[in-house]
Amino acid sequence: MMISTKGRYALRLMIDIAEHQREGYIRLRDVAKRQGISEKYLEIIVRALVQQEYLTGVRGKGGGYRLSLEPEACSVRQILEAAEGPLVPVVCMSGAQECPRMEECPTLPLWRGLDRVISEYLDSFTLEDLLDHTAGAMQARVPAEGAGS
């Protein structure tokens, strides 16, 4: 599984809006400029985040976007899935296609376990954690290199 640019930019967008929302609704143009991301590409990402109700948008003068949830109520997994779709390690778990071998597949338990580990890990971080990156809150949950070897 690889997180695409869309997922990474969705996280950057949400962090930027959370950092600046005291200023009111945040214009996409301002986020694009601060983050060095195409405004057109951010428009695509924003649509998904508004549709999933992670952002609220207002048009017109003074318009822009705000978080719909408090930063501590929004997990990294939720943001990534809103932008990317299901974060499953193999296509047969996405529900996109029926696998005729699922009943007897010897590797399915492996993929389900990996999916659980990834989901739990990404759920353990919130947008608030990403905002508070300097406090070391995230570092405490990152497994040490070579752990379990």
Side-chain angles (χ1 to χ4, degrees):
M1 176 189 76
M2 184 178 295
I3 305 298
S4 75
T5 304
K6 189 184 281 188
R8 295 191 327 266
Y9 286 3
L11 286 173
R12 287 172 52 189
L13 168 72
M14 293 288 285
I15 293 166
D16 191 287
I17 289 173
E19 287 176 332
H20 293 93
Q21 81 172 4
R22 280 175 267 115
E23 303 162 16
Y25 283 89
I26 308 304
R27 296 181 319 168
L28 217 47
R29 176 182 306 131
D30 296 335
V31 175
K33 190 174 187 179
R34 283 190 294 265
Q35 295 298 320
I37 302 171
S38 156
E39 187 175 351
K40 291 287 185 199
Y41 196 40
L42 285 178
E43 287 172 2
I44 295 166
I45 296 168
V46 142
R47 256 183 252 127
L49 293 168
V50 168
Q51 185 178 7
Q52 296 291 319
E53 299 182 354
Y54 294 107
L55 292 176
T56 303
V58 172
R59 293 184 183 267
K61 186 175 175 142
Y65 296 93
R66 293 185 58 82
L67 298 179
S68 299
L69 303 169
E70 293 299 318
E72 64 272 9
C74 191
S75 79
V76 167
R77 183 185 60 79
Q78 291 172 316
I79 297 167
L80 290 173
E81 286 187 342
E84 302 261 355
L87 298 176
V88 293
V90 291
V91 71
C92 65
M93 292 181 62
S94 70
Q97 65 187 39
E98 185 66 30
C99 177
R101 300 198 55 186
M102 275 186 102
E103 293 300 318
E104 72 250 6
C105 180
T107 61
L108 189 57
L110 171 78
W111 303 130
R112 284 185 175 149
L114 179 59
D115 182 53
R116 187 185 72 253
V117 169
I118 291 169
S119 293
E120 288 173 3
Y121 181 75
L122 293 175
D123 275 335
S124 76
F125 294 101
T126 65
L127 185 56
E128 180 69 27
D129 293 326
L130 298 179
L131 289 167
D132 193 25
H133 60 86
T134 57
M138 291 180 56
Q139 199 61 20
R141 284 179 266 177
V142 175
E145 283 189 45
S149 311

